[in-house]
Amino acid sequence: MIPAFAHARRNSTLVAIVSGDRTKRREIAKRYRVEHAFSYDDYDQCLRLVDAVYIALPNSMHAEYAIRAARAGVHVLCEKPMAVTVQECRQMIAAGRKAEVKLMVAYRLHFEAVNLAAIDVARRGDLGELKFFNSSFSMRVRRGDIRTKRSCGGGTLYDIGVYCINAARNLFRAEPTEVSAISINSGVATLAEIDETTAATLRFGNDHVATFITSFNAADVGAYRIVGTKGELHADPAYEYAEGLGFTLTVDGKSTRQKISKRDQFAPELLYFSDCIIKDRSPEPSGEEGLQDVRIVQALYESSRTGKPVKIRPFRKPQRPTGRQRITRPGIRKPSLIKVQSASQD
């Protein structure tokens, strides 16, 4: 996200960073010429200097820091998953409404050109009547990563399952009514606190069905396929940000490939969110969008524990203009990391 500010200068400026590590604060501030660098103890002081915050903390900390920002009158762009529980999501939404600040969940693929093109294909009817969606998303997570810790809100569904859930919901343009799941642990000690692998099924009220598998102990894979009565769309890679995305469209036996070179997926989020603040627009993806995905994640984990399907309460997604989300910026080089390792072992 930090390098993306170079492509968002039209309306966004990085004013301050917050980190619990003194070396990281110093090095990042120097590299990106950031005037202010705060520890978490000084978060409230930071809030007095900025218009908005981007929250990329462990999942278990999203709610607290978003609510504190809202109460200070600061707008919030929060990483997905929005929070760990539905109750936390509702508290975040309520705090934002009370303070009259914007709250947006950072689903970067809502701004990605190939992803938006795939949604257009599904909605135009090019595939005929949509029938089913399936996806595989996996990685070999590094030992000790926060994604493996229950206290941090870790787990495959929270970290990568939300991509599959959100993709199915947006491609079908519908909401699941019932979900079921099974989780498997093979005995890997570093993954004992969370689900190592989860297989999920989502049934939609219009008889669409979505299935997906997430894993923290398998090769790096991130793809989905949506199938209709006339054809299919196979997106691979589907969720990546370090390379260009693409899909193969097959209709009546004829296939075409669409692929776009690597793009900056983070700058469009910044540009769009800042425009929402400046022009007083309601952002999308909204807090309600984030809440729905967390509701589904929690229901899937409940199904995994009980061995029974779980009903999902009706949800009406707010219909807001999405044309303003079609923002493209060129790709950027992956920055060298400062006192941190990537999540994946591969």
Side-chain angles (χ1 to χ4, degrees):
M1 179 62 85
I2 294 178
F5 279 90
H7 290 153
R9 291 173 179 153
R10 174 173 63 79
N11 61 10
S12 308
T13 302
L14 181 59
V15 174
I17 58 169
V18 180
S19 173
D21 187 286
R22 181 181 299 177
T23 300
K24 189 181 293 187
R25 291 197 301 269
R26 182 182 67 248
E27 293 300 318
I28 291 177
K30 180 180 178 181
R31 179 185 296 179
Y32 295 101
R33 299 179 182 179
V34 181
E35 184 176 356
H36 303 283
F38 297 96
S39 69
Y40 290 108
D41 290 338
D42 297 323
Y43 180 60
D44 292 331
Q45 182 181 345
C46 173
L47 293 176
R48 291 194 286 270
L49 292 176
V50 300
D51 298 313
V53 293
Y54 166 63
I55 295 176
L57 290 162
N59 301 335
S60 59
M61 300 171 73
H62 288 184
E64 176 191 347
Y65 281 79
I67 291 169
R68 286 170 65 182
R71 288 174 176 170
V74 174
H75 306 280
V76 176
L77 174 60
C78 183
E79 261 303 333
K80 60 205 167 301
M82 182 177 172
V84 178
T85 68
V86 168
Q87 181 180 6
E88 287 178 333
C89 294
R90 287 174 174 156
Q91 290 170 346
M92 293 165 69
I93 293 169
R97 287 175 177 168
K98 183 175 181 180
E100 297 183 342
V101 299
K102 309 299 182 187
L103 170 62
M104 185 174 111
V105 183
Y107 288 98
R108 56 184 167 78
L109 292 179
H110 282 229
F111 303 85
E112 207 287 322
V114 170
N115 186 62
L116 292 172
I119 292 172
D120 287 343
V121 167
R123 293 181 177 179
R124 280 199 309 261
D126 295 12
L127 303 177
E129 183 183 352
L130 300 179
K131 289 298 182 180
F132 65 88
F133 165 100
N134 62 50
S135 182
S136 300
F137 200 179
S138 59
M139 58 194 289
R140 295 176 64 239
V141 172
R142 194 178 298 278
R143 178 191 297 269
D145 189 87
I146 59 171
R147 293 160 180 80
T148 68
K149 299 178 181 179
R150 184 178 298 175
S151 62
C152 293
T156 72
L157 293 181
Y158 282 117
D159 189 64
I160 53 182
V162 289
Y163 286 90
C164 308
I165 294 166
N166 202 261
R169 292 177 51 234
N170 280 283
L171 287 162
F172 281 148
R173 211 173 187 174
E175 300 298 328
T177 57
E178 181 180 276
V179 303
S180 59
I182 58 170
S183 294
I184 298 169
N185 284 68
S186 65
V188 178
T190 56
L191 300 175
E193 293 185 14
I194 52 125
D195 57 308
E196 177 183 322
T197 300
T198 292
T201 301
L202 283 59
R203 180 170 183 173
F204 292 76
N206 49 12
D207 293 326
H208 297 157
V209 64
T211 62
F212 65 86
I213 296 177
T214 53
S215 180
F216 278 167
N217 191 28
D220 282 5
V221 174
Y224 69 73
R225 176 178 272 108
I226 185 165
V227 180
T229 53
K230 291 173 60 179
E232 65 162 314
L233 184 149
H234 180 206
D236 185 11
Y239 308 117
E240 182 59 70
Y241 65 86
E243 60 181 287
L245 304 186
F247 63 76
T248 300
L249 175 63
T250 303
V251 177
D252 295 331
K254 297 180 179 180
S255 297
T256 57
R257 175 72 175 168
Q258 178 166 337
K259 184 174 177 60
I260 295 179
S261 60
K262 178 181 175 181
R263 301 288 179 85
D264 185 341
Q265 296 180 13
F266 298 92
E269 291 182 275
L270 294 172
L271 289 162
Y272 172 83
F273 186 56
S274 291
D275 273 344
C276 287
I277 294 169
I278 294 165
K279 299 175 182 179
D280 194 23
R281 297 172 179 160
S282 296
E284 179 65 31
S286 63
E288 290 81 3
E289 176 84 353
L291 182 153
Q292 176 67 349
D293 284 340
V294 171
R295 177 183 288 127
I296 295 166
V297 167
Q298 284 198 280
L300 287 167
Y301 278 133
E302 179 184 346
S303 174
S304 176
R305 287 193 304 270
T306 64
K308 299 178 181 179
V310 176
K311 298 289 186 182
I312 302 293
R313 58 175 289 184
F315 170 76
R316 180 173 294 179
K317 182 175 178 176
Q319 295 299 312
R320 293 171 178 147
T322 57
R324 300 186 181 99
Q325 292 174 307
R326 297 179 186 272
I327 304 169
T328 39
R329 290 294 185 273
I332 57 175
R333 289 184 178 180
K334 181 180 178 180
S336 58
L337 302 178
I338 299 173
K339 294 195 72 175
V340 69
Q341 292 179 311
S342 65
S344 176
Q345 295 184 44
D346 298 325

